């Protein structure tokens, strides 16, 4: 059974043209989600699509950013804290890491 799962997850990596496990990629042609990643933790793998397509996120913290941007980043992190803490197998973790 394990060999089948490994083959299936490798096929998913290939189909989505990803560099490897836990390496997110932008998906500009997807109608609703902006990124995809094949998350792997232990022996478990999961394809996760995350991020709203076209949403204006705060991006990575920058020196001299506005108070509104800091507030928007903090609101996202506060709102999704429980799901971010679940780790690599949650979309919120990846959205926090990549988009916020």
């Amino acid at each position: 059974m394990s060999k089948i799962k490994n083959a299936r997850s490798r096929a998913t990596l290939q189909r989505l043209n990803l560099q490897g496990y836990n390496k997110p990629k932008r998906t500009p042609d997807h109608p609703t989600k902006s990124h995809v990643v094949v998350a792997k933790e232990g022996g478990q793998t999961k394809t996760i699509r995350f991020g709203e397509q076209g949403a204006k996120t705060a991006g990575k913290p920058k020196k001299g950013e506005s108070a509104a941007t800091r507030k928007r980043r903090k609101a996202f992190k506060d709102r999704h804290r429980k799901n971010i803490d679940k780790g690599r197998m949650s979309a919120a973790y990846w959205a926090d890491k990549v988009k916020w």
Side-chain angles (χ1 to χ4, degrees):
M1 187 76 160
S2 178
K3 288 182 182 180
I4 293 171
K5 283 186 179 181
N6 284 339
R8 191 176 294 160
S9 62
R10 279 195 306 273
T12 302
L13 286 173
Q14 209 169 20
R15 179 175 50 84
L16 296 172
N17 198 22
L18 294 170
Q19 297 298 315
Y21 298 111
N22 300 323
K23 298 192 186 250
K25 179 185 173 192
R26 183 102 169 78
T27 54
D29 296 331
H30 195 272
T32 56
K33 298 299 177 185
S34 65
H35 290 78
V36 66
V37 65
V38 176
K40 184 173 185 174
E41 199 167 55
Q44 184 182 12
T45 60
K46 183 178 181 182
T47 302
I48 300 173
R49 290 189 181 275
F50 64 95
E52 183 183 358
Q53 193 69 271
K56 292 188 178 191
T57 60
K60 295 295 176 196
K62 295 171 183 69
K63 192 173 186 176
E65 71 183 4
S66 70
T69 302
R70 281 195 301 276
K71 192 174 176 183
R72 188 165 47 247
R73 178 180 291 108
K74 183 182 180 321
F76 174 85
K77 289 176 183 281
D78 290 346
R79 187 170 60 248
H80 297 286
R81 176 58 46 209
K82 274 180 146 178
N83 292 323
I84 291 169
D85 290 342
K86 289 181 182 177
R88 290 184 173 172
M89 300 307 264
S90 74
Y93 170 87
W94 291 103
D96 179 51
K97 185 173 180 178
V98 175
K99 297 190 74 134
W100 291 94

